[in-house]
Structure formats: structure tokens, C-alpha cells
Amino acid sequence: MSNKGEISSIAVEDGVGVLTIDSPPVNALGVAVRRALDEGIREMVQDTSVDAIILLCGGRTFFAGADISEFGKAPQVPLLPAVLEKIENCPKPLIAAMHGTALGGGYELALTCHYRIAAPSAKVGLPEVKLGLLPGAGGTQRLPRLVGPAMALDLIVKGDQVPAVQALQLGMIDAIAREGQLREDAIAYARAILAEGVPLRRIRDRNEKIAPDSFPADLFDTFRAANAASMRGFKAPGHIVQAIGASVRVPFDDGLLRERALFQELRASRESAAQRYYFFAEREAAKIAGNQKVSGPVPITSVGIVGGTAMGIDIAMAAADAGLAVTVIDIDTAAGGRARRSIADAYAAAVHDGRMTAEEVARLQDRIALADDPALLSASDLIVEFDEDPAEKQRIIRRLDAIVRTDTILATSGNTIDVEGMAVSCSRPERVVGMHFCASADAPRLVEAARCAVTSPEAIASAMHFVRRIGRVAVLTGPRRGFIANRIMSAMATQARAAIAEGSPPGLLEALLYDYGFPADHIQQISGTAFGDFDQYSTATDRTRQAPVDDEELLERLLLPVVNEGAKLLEEKGATRASDIDVVAILGYGWPVYRGGPMFWADEIGLPRVLSTLNELRARHGEAFRPSALLEEKVALGASFTRG
């Protein structure tokens, strides 16, 4: 074995060289990893005892992709394209052995190898679109040559992760190893390749899948038309279509140049800056800020759900799917068992909609127990009550407080609850938390976790860990009613009602918000009120019937109160970070991710402009537009909400 340094090593076994890169936490393709690859491949090419080369990664995953922290900094050699060129032009068979995830630049690196083998649990893909980017290291040129342009469009524009078994079927990988035996099976695979004596297979030389007669002539126009709604407002999907279009029209090297130019354009765009900001903001939301030391979350293996609401059943199913033991207490037995009816309906709907098979539902049923007696929850690690009556909620929490373990976490659901009042009525208020599970069908991932002054850091850490385990995003809030989501968006709804009362047609407001990037009928969704017959308004009619206010001013009247309310939440400690407010706005109420959220957008247009416009609106429309003290302070200091 050759020890190359802190992050790489080389071993040679019967003519097969194994270059292992181990750069925690995720083997990102930063400069240190690029150098290790460059030097390791050079050494094995020169080593006459090596006939084939395997690239393997230590830790929990294959190369995770580009190191985003290097964006905006001076490039350091070797650059990734140069390393990939060395891999692709290696004179010896070179095999990528993938485990964990091979995403973005990591999968693009695998595409430059001559062969690809993966662990059964591995996932591959090109998710750059979710950062407002496109694959910039040959992914848009090589993947169409493997799977055809139609499948490449679907895979890259969606950016989803593809499990190994499906990737093998699609041709994205060449073989699957045994779980836990990736190294051994990759070596055996390399020896089989050597025994066959086949020429090296460079993807760049494979053109059968991109031949003009292999796909419809109108493929790209049809794809744009079919995906117009999901691509609305985003810059990256259209650029991806252009790049893949180049793969079938121009020689490979010219396609690489086109891809690179489109990538650079996206990287410099506001849309990508906003999406990259959100990427980190969502991960930052999981961190508990403050000076309190947290010993760590209490291990949660059993969960109690009290109440048979649709949301309660959804959470029960998600917890069971995550491997937790779940007990659902049906408190509506007089009405024939609401929880029993709800969960039966949920199972049937999951099968009918294709979200689960009957076998998967059967496994969930084995993990979910239905009962009538709350005493059966006495040993649960975490209990969430979902009753809809505020008085009944308090009675339930008190009853649970009397029967559960002293370390059990009690969570009360809803976004208008008095979490502080609930907590102080219990014998151990430090274990009580609030949870608002967003009920929007378009944004089911958001959960606002509310802590009180007396809530222990361990209880909050445990609650947020549970939320992440069931596949949702947890954002920490203060105990105030409305939490973050309803507080900020009610400010928009209030001004929408006022503008309509003053003569602005509802359809115009909806059109302005839609053009900004919100879902259709957004005002109705956030207000719960229909402002007359919206269908009677067309955009053309609206623009002739509007009040004497220009579109930009009307849009700012709707959006700036959200920013101002967010600033007030930060003042009141109802939100920990400005980025948390943006996460809530995007996940909870459809604020377009390519705008970055209200606080990021405010920084983009400039806080001095935000402040002056609020003062102008205050002069015309009253004290609802009084700027927050924090906003005034930020402007005076030349500071921002989201930029350090």
C-alpha cells in the first residue's frame, strides 16, 4: 500500500490499483481532493504493475460534487475539468466504485470513468438544477450519450436522485456490487474487464443514443411546452434544455464549451444566488442557535399521536415509515372512531394514488397501533396531540403530563396555540414544545417547532430531530401565536384586502404575485377568503380597471409588509435567523425559491429602498407600514439581514 497523504491512499492487488479518497464529511471535489486524484492517477498510470484502476471513496459517500464554498473565490489548480480530462483519457481501464450518493460533480466524475459499479444502496444523479445551476463538468453532454436526450432531459431538469437498481436499468451505471462488498466486487469487475480485453469505453465517443433518428425531431420544443408550468420563473431548466440540445447538434468538445458558457451565466445569476442561499438556509435552520449547551436529542423510538385529524394520521404514517413504533389514540370513540376512519382512508388513498403498494401499507399497519386509552402512551418518547379544540388541547396535555415518563416530550400542534400557557400548566414545562405541521398540500415539509422560555434545549433538539427523521424541515420559533408563517403572510393578506377595498381588482393582485413567482390564486390561499368571482377578471381587464397605482407600487404594498413583519419577529426573538424566515416563507407559503425568500429579496433590492418605500406607504396608508426598529437600525449601519 502507498500512503499518498491525509486524504488518499493507493493499494495494488493482482494488477488492479485502488485509489481511495477519504475527505470528510462528503468527499467534496475541493482543491485538496482534486490534487489527490490528479497525483494518484498519475502514479498508477506510471506503475507498470497496475493494469486497471478503481476510484473508491472512504466515509459515508462517493464524491458529493463541487465544493460550493469555493464559488466566488480565485480558482486553484488543478481545475476539475483538467482532472476529469485526465480520468477520461487514462490509458488503463478506470472504474468508479460508488457508494452512498454520487451526485452533481461526483456523478460527472463517474461519467468520465470508463466503467461504473455501485453498491445496491447507492444513488446517483445530477441535482444542480436545485441550486439554480446546470451540470458544468460534462454532465449535459455525457448523460445523453448514455440514456438518450429524452431521458437526460427528464433526469437533469428534475434533478432527482436515482437508486442504483433503476440507474442500472437506465444505463447510468454498468454493474451493482453486493452490499458491503463494493471494494471486493469492483476489483473482480476490473479483472473481468481485463480478461475480456475490450477497448476502453469513453462515453464521449458513444453517439448511437444521440443519432438524429433515435429521438423525435420536436423533442426539445415538446419538452419545454410540457414542463412550462414547473419551469416558470426558473432560469436553470431552460439553460439545461439548451445544453442537452447542443449534445445532439454539435461535436462533443463544442458541446462542452456551450455547457460551460451556460453554466457560467447561471452561476452569475440572481436566481442561482437565491437558490444557493436557500440550500444553506434550510440546513442552517436545523441548528439550535444560542449559548445554551445541548447534551443531544433524547433517542426517540416510540411516538404517540393523540387525535384522528388528517394531519395527525399523516404524521403517524410518516413516523411509522421512518421505523418508529407508533400508537394512535382515538379520542373520538363516541363518533365511531375518527382515527380509525381517517387512517383507513389514508391507507386506501396511498394505494390508490400510487404512493404506496399494498405491501408497504401492510408494513405500516404493523407499526401503528390504534387504541382508545391515553394511558397506553405512558412509555412513549414523544407524544403529539392533534385535537382541534383549544380547551380540549389543554385538558389532553394535562392528562398526558400526569401519566407519561418525566423525560417524555409533549408536543401540542397548531399555529394559533398558546404554547407558553400549555407549558406552565404542566408539572414539567421544560418538556413541552409547540409544533405547527404545515397543512398546505403544496408544502407538506415544513414544521415550525416552538419553544418557550422554560423549554429545555434537549427537548427542542429531540423534537427537531424527530421532524427531520420523518422527512420534514424543522424551523425553530418562539411561542407567540401565529409562529412565523402566519405572522408574515397575514401581513400580505391584510394589505391585499385593503387594496381591494380601495378599488384594485383582485385578479390584478393575483397576476402581480403570479408574475413575481407565487402560485396561482395565492391571495385566496393565504387569506382563506374568496374576493368575489376571480374568474371574471382577465389580466387585460384588470390592467384597465386598476386603481391609480402602478404595478410596482402595488406589488411592494403586498410584499414589503412581509419583510417588515419578519424584522419584527427577529426583534421579538420569535425567529432565530433571517434565513429561518425565508425557509418558512418558501416552504410554507410558496414564496418563489429563486427569489430567496422575503429577507433575502429585501437585501437584494436594498434595505434603504425598503425603508423609504415603507415610509411612503405609511404616509398614504397608515401605521401598518411603520418600519421596524431593526430595519431602521440595519439601514443606519449599512448592514443587511442575510449577508453576514
Side-chain angles (χ1 to χ4, degrees), residues 308-388:
T309 65
M311 180 58 74
I313 298 305
D314 284 347
I315 300 306
M317 293 176 68
D321 195 40
L324 301 172
V326 181
T327 301
V328 177
I329 298 299
D330 200 336
I331 57 176
D332 192 17
T333 54
R338 179 177 180 182
R340 285 169 169 76
R341 297 194 307 276
S342 296
I343 202 164
D345 291 345
Y347 287 149
V351 174
H352 180 269
D353 297 342
R355 290 179 283 118
M356 291 184 180
T357 64
E359 292 75 16
E360 289 171 330
V361 165
R363 284 196 292 272
L364 284 188
Q365 288 175 313
D366 289 339
R367 295 188 188 133
I368 300 177
L370 283 165
D372 302 328
D373 185 2
L376 295 175
L377 302 179
S378 59
S380 297
D381 300 315
L382 179 144
I383 303 172
V384 190
E385 68 77 21
F386 282 93
D387 198 85
E388 295 169 335

Side-chain angles (χ1 to χ4, degrees), residues 206 269 358 425 518 610:
R206 299 171 64 175
S269 70
S425 69
F518 282 99
V610 171

Side-chain angles (χ1 to χ4, degrees), residues 41-49 92:
I41 292 170
R42 181 187 297 115
E43 179 176 323
M44 286 194 287
V45 167
Q46 294 172 351
D47 188 340
T48 57
S49 70
K92 301 176 180 181

Side-chain angles (χ1 to χ4, degrees), residues 588-610:
Y589 278 106
W591 196 289
V593 66
Y594 56 81
R595 302 282 189 181
M599 312 312 283
F600 181 88
W601 171 74
D603 286 337
E604 278 284 293
I605 66 175
L607 296 190
R609 172 182 166 184
V610 171

Side-chain angles (χ1 to χ4, degrees), residues 248-287:
V248 305
R249 288 193 298 267
V250 301
F252 182 82
D253 287 328
D254 292 343
L256 283 182
L257 291 175
R258 180 61 176 149
E259 175 193 84
R260 193 64 187 169
L262 289 166
F263 174 85
Q264 297 285 14
E265 184 178 328
L266 287 175
R267 190 167 71 172
S269 70
R270 287 188 172 186
E271 291 86 350
S272 179
Q275 288 179 255
R276 296 197 305 269
Y277 158 81
Y278 176 77
F279 176 86
F280 289 110
E282 186 176 302
R283 283 147 186 79
E284 189 72 13
K287 300 176 182 178

Side-chain angles (χ1 to χ4, degrees), residues 406-442:
T406 56
D407 63 342
T408 296
I409 297 162
L410 297 178
T412 179
S413 70
N415 63 347
T416 59
I417 51 177
D418 178 9
V419 183
E420 198 98 48
M422 292 263 194
V424 298
S425 69
C426 294
S427 63
R428 35 49 172 309
E430 73 280 357
R431 311 299 293 178
V432 177
V433 301
M435 284 189 179
H436 171 215
F437 295 87
C438 184
S440 168
D442 297 324

